[in-house]
Amino acid sequence: TPEYMSPEQAEMTGQDIDTRTDVYSLGALLYELLTGTLPFDPQTLREAGVEGMRRMIREQDPKIPSIQLSTIEGEKSLSLAQQRRTDTRALARHLQGELDWITLKAMDKDRTRRYQTAYALAEDIQRYLDEEPVLAGPPSATYKLLKFAQRNKGLFIATTAIAAIVLMAAIISTVSATLAIKAKKVAENLQKVSQTLADQREIDLY
């Protein structure tokens, strides 16, 4: 179903579908178990139409589980916490960090960054339960920048072009200023030499 469909399935380009697609679906199921909601709202997906739905799955990142949980209010939030034998604040606190990382790694748009097998996902969950360091980690600044660039290609290209122009203008300005300083020094040195020669001629005349 669309709610558990991986980005490569949504592309429908004949790309080989492998175990990592199942890992994505398991990640979506884990997301649902942790937050009580699906990564993408079913009604919103279907209202977007087939192409809009495929685009959302391919390009839109789901909310971080702990943040998604904080948006749920009222009786539903209380019920979720009670089903997990905790309170709403403690539940959100438990999700922050490792459980967020594990879920998002399993659901990464880039399948090369996901767990490569369901067993690897299960192992990382077990590490969390055993209070051991997990393999999943927070996205790096470089990865976030690349994701931003992918989502905002036009804006990123324009921003990069503007930055390049500003940088080039700064370089030209700096070079021009340096050349102007050097030219001034050369002129001053020539003037000193000229004055020295003039003074020497006056001495010779006497």
Side-chain angles (χ1 to χ4, degrees), residues 45-116:
L45 275 178
R46 284 161 175 74
E47 287 178 351
V50 175
E51 289 304 318
M53 178 173 61
R54 289 173 57 201
R55 185 169 57 253
M56 285 177 64
I57 295 170
R58 291 195 313 267
E59 301 175 6
Q60 184 175 317
D61 290 320
K63 287 183 180 178
I64 296 172
S66 57
I67 294 178
Q68 172 73 343
L69 189 64
S70 67
T71 65
I72 302 171
E73 300 177 350
E75 293 184 2
K76 185 174 182 180
S77 176
L78 182 61
S79 175
L80 285 171
Q82 288 177 342
Q83 289 170 7
R84 290 153 180 77
R85 300 179 183 178
T86 184
D87 58 72
T88 52
R89 290 183 180 178
L91 180 56
R93 192 165 57 249
H94 285 317
L95 296 190
Q96 289 176 350
E98 287 97 336
L99 288 177
D100 278 339
W101 304 342
I102 290 172
T103 307
L104 294 180
K105 180 176 177 64
M107 295 185 63
D108 201 297
K109 301 293 185 190
D110 182 354
R111 60 180 179 174
T112 63
R113 294 177 56 86
R114 293 179 208 151
Y115 297 102
Q116 299 302 290

Side-chain angles (χ1 to χ4, degrees), residues 19 23 26 102 105-106 114-127 135-136:
T19 304
V23 170
L26 287 172
I102 290 172
K105 180 176 177 64
R114 293 179 208 151
Y115 297 102
Q116 299 302 290
T117 64
Y119 183 72
L121 168 59
E123 281 190 317
D124 228 11
I125 293 173
Q126 190 61 53
R127 289 188 191 94
L135 297 182

